Amino acid sequence: MSFKRRGLYAAFAGVFLLAVFVRPLPAAQPLAETFTLNNGMQVVVIPDHRAPVVTHMVWYRVGSADEPQGKAGIAHFLEHLMFKGTTKYPPGAFNRIIRQNGGEDNAFTSKDYTAYFQRIAKERLGLVMDLEADRMQNLVLKDENVLPELKVVEEERRERIDNDPSSLLSEQIDAMLYLAHPYRKPVIGWMPEVNRLTRDDAIAFYKAHYTPANAILVVAGDVTPDEVRKLAEEHYGKLANTFDVTARMRTEEPEPIAPRRVTLTDARAASPVVQRAYLSVSYATAAKGEAEALDVLAELLGGGATSRLYRKLVVEKRLASYAGAWYSGDGLNSGIFGVYGSPVPGGAVEPVEAEIDAILEDIKANGITEDELARTKATLIADTVYARDNQGTLARAFGSALTTGMTVADVLAWPDRIQAVTLEDVKAAAAKTFDDRRSVTGVLLPAAGAPAGGGEPTDPTPSNSTQQ
Amino acid sequence: MRPLRPFFAALAIVAIHVLPAQAIEIKEVKSKGGITAWLVEDHTNPLIAMQFSFSGGAVNDAAGKEGTANFITAMMDEGAGDLDSAAFQAKRDELAMKMSFDASFDRFQGSFQTLANRRDASFALLKLALAKPHFAQEPLDRVRDQLLVGARRKEEEPDTISSRAWMAKAFADHPYARETDGTVKSIATITAEDLKAMHKQLFSRKGLKVAVVGDIDEATLARLLDETFGDLPDTDPPKAAPMFHVDGKPMTEVIDRDIPQSIITFGTDGMLRADPDFIPAYVASFVLGGGGFGSRLTEEVREKRGLTYGVSIGLYSFDHAGLVFGQLGTRNEKAGEALGVVKDTMRKFAEEGPTAAELAETKTYLTGSYALRFDSNSKIARQLLAIQEDNLGIDYINRRNDMIDAVTLDQAKVQARRISEPDKLIVTVVGKPEGIKSDGQ
């Protein structure tokens, strides 16, 4: 029996992973339309008339990778503070108005974006636009609201990271994978820096990044593009930009030259796990077809019980209890390809790691089969059809793509581009990606003397995002 | 609570008459073989979602074999009929069919999705899994290892440790005190024979409830119901758990773990879903600690004092017991203070009940947001199954918001006293909490 705390945390537990598993949509019918307001704010509309509700999201092209030196966590802290009142509405009013109108709302921050959303009856779309447009420009922060919220964020960090050894290991891996690029920092920030964040830090960050031309509006649900255009012009179109939006400049990551390794021994770890992360390309940085090939590669290597890693490590050789792979291709500046395995009870990580290496080497040398390629493509494309069942999933897919260097057309064409992946593309992507020098290997070990056993990583994909 | 400012007056308490029923027509489909399902047809996307459940679950695990029903959930795609494990999984992937299972205390639930153009083949594969699972030794040993490591991991998760300790204290020898997933010890003893025996008990047409939503019509569903479930036996479902009321004696247990944040679980006896006062109690519980922002607990513990990232309390109903159950995480140094604030907030709430404004606001939220539970096939199917399981009636969706709206302030105050009992709390804490001690220390 396990209960989850409802509301703030549990209700949105799945949200941040979706950003990683962007599965855009088939182009069979126009699923989404896009246009831009006079002030440069882009709008995406995804009609879905099955229920009289809408999902309204405003995404900002700013995340933890855009933070000033020494201010780790300010992007996420500001996201919390955006609920603390404006010149028009006092602290607490935002949530209360949404609640009084039968809506749900929350927000989340990743390394590349910050997003705010409401789910509400369609008649209330104008109301939520009014509130969201207001807090884009009129935020008012007072220490009496800021100081308790900083404590809340510290608790959030303790709850999600410090109380959980596998989250701590992921944080260490990121910090080693990137020597210079700000992706090395956790979204929520390192505790010593979080402790010292102030009201002035938040206001400075807000003034530097929150403006219509740096924002994207995504509306999914029981509306037409014309209805959204009219309301968006009324509420967002009248906002003037407060600064010129320029390209995001981030420290460039040097070419990696040496494999790195980190071992975390923690009494709270129930069982050992080995995780490997390869610094890789993303959709925004890849050559044509390369990121798509990595999505195919991740699915066939480790997407489920019929994947290569699972069949070999878990079923045939019985070395591991769990094994898999993932590809996070939605970074603005780079991507990560990950593999992981956890030994069977009583087993050690070394043979698991050795077998993973052997499987990766085999793919580099011999590629994959025509049959594997066809099956994997079919799975990925079927997932895009399933994604159409949920307007929230669709809205997140578009928002995430548009804040990480992709376009609406890219998202719509994704199934076709997956379909175009060849055997050679996959082999070449494997050869380029599975290079030791680009890797960090992280091992989680229970404390000496603790009972040995395999363990399922809580969340083998990077928890790349954190929410209010 | 912050007083309502004038601008709220304009926005506040506007009833939103967005009943999901406007968009949802539920048909009761009866197959020739006598199987009933609730159907919502929706041809927007070429997808079909089905949720179904059998009566019986973890409460029917034999003593010492806790986790048997859960073990079955993990074996459902590991070989059935003429397909071994690998062949079954390959077929499932080829069809892009999705199926998963879950065993709660009182029910064994299945969740199934298929693309419309693979409909019949996907239902046929599901039928194989339901009627003719192998429980063969090879996958069984492998799955057992996975369950064991899962169990070990849960034994280290602070919120799981805290919740489990709470359930053990509250339910003593009752089956609801058991681990639905089993323990390291019990999982090790479960055999193929145990799984087969449990499968035979649980998978009966008499205990079956089905909800289907998506791109399928009545006649096709009627046929597929018989084809999929028709071969299952028509035997009585296994015996339900006895009725249980949680003792009103307060108890506190601290489980020492070296973690920076203490997880505090707190609760008392609650009520069954069938309780005539469930709706007013649900509304009252929401004012106290539901739904995130705006509840009294969130205001007092999080917003005013920054003591937690999340705190909530709510009603949980099993078939034969009900709980008022809450949880929060806070830094060890503040554990005693946070629990004190929770108790003070509960005491004040019991004494005063919700204000008229809180009640009105909560009603508009609960009625207005009901439609949000019906915006995808999978979500609608989950709602329809839950309504069947709770015996609320096929017209419940139409009646539900009226029942919420009908709750009076007096009713809510009575229920506030009933659900908010700080002096009866059973409290379990994991961590190194300052200011909280186990009983007798």
Side-chain angles (χ1 to χ4, degrees), chain A residues 73-128:
Chain A
I74 193 63
H76 169 250
F77 186 38
L78 172 61
E79 175 230 295
H80 278 238
L81 296 176
M82 287 288 285
F83 294 83
K84 296 301 176 188
T86 65
T87 47
K88 190 170 166 191
Y89 298 109
F94 192 100
N95 294 126
R96 172 159 289 159
I97 293 170
I98 298 298
R99 202 169 133 105
Q100 284 172 333
N101 284 277
E104 291 171 352
D105 73 304
N106 214 318
F108 50 92
T109 308
S110 85
K111 295 187 180 185
D112 289 318
Y113 52 74
T114 311
Y116 301 83
F117 70 92
Q118 299 81 35
R119 294 185 6 88
I120 202 157
K122 65 173 178 176
E123 291 84 357
R124 299 294 187 269
L125 182 57
L127 169 74
V128 295

Side-chain angles (χ1 to χ4, degrees), chain A residues 1 3 8 84 96 99 101 103 119 149 151 155 159 306 310 318 321 383 386 389 454 456 467, chain B residues 1 16 93 96 98 105 145-146 149 153 261 293 302-303 309 325 331 365 372 375-378:
Chain A
M1 186 77 230
F3 288 91
L8 306 179
K84 296 301 176 188
R96 172 159 289 159
R99 202 169 133 105
N101 284 277
R119 294 185 6 88
E149 198 61 28
K151 297 290 170 197
E155 291 301 345
E159 182 165 322
T306 51
Y310 192 93
R318 291 295 305 279
S321 296
D383 281 347
Y386 281 114
D389 191 35
E456 180 182 16
Q467 66 259 356
Chain B
M1 300 292 289
I16 304 169
D93 287 5
K98 295 183 188 291
F105 283 130
D145 278 353
Q146 294 177 331
V149 299
R153 214 173 69 74
Q261 188 185 64
F293 294 103
R302 173 173 159 147
E303 296 298 292
Y309 176 51
F325 184 93
R331 50 203 179 278
Y365 170 71
L372 300 177
D375 68 350
S376 79
N377 292 352
S378 312

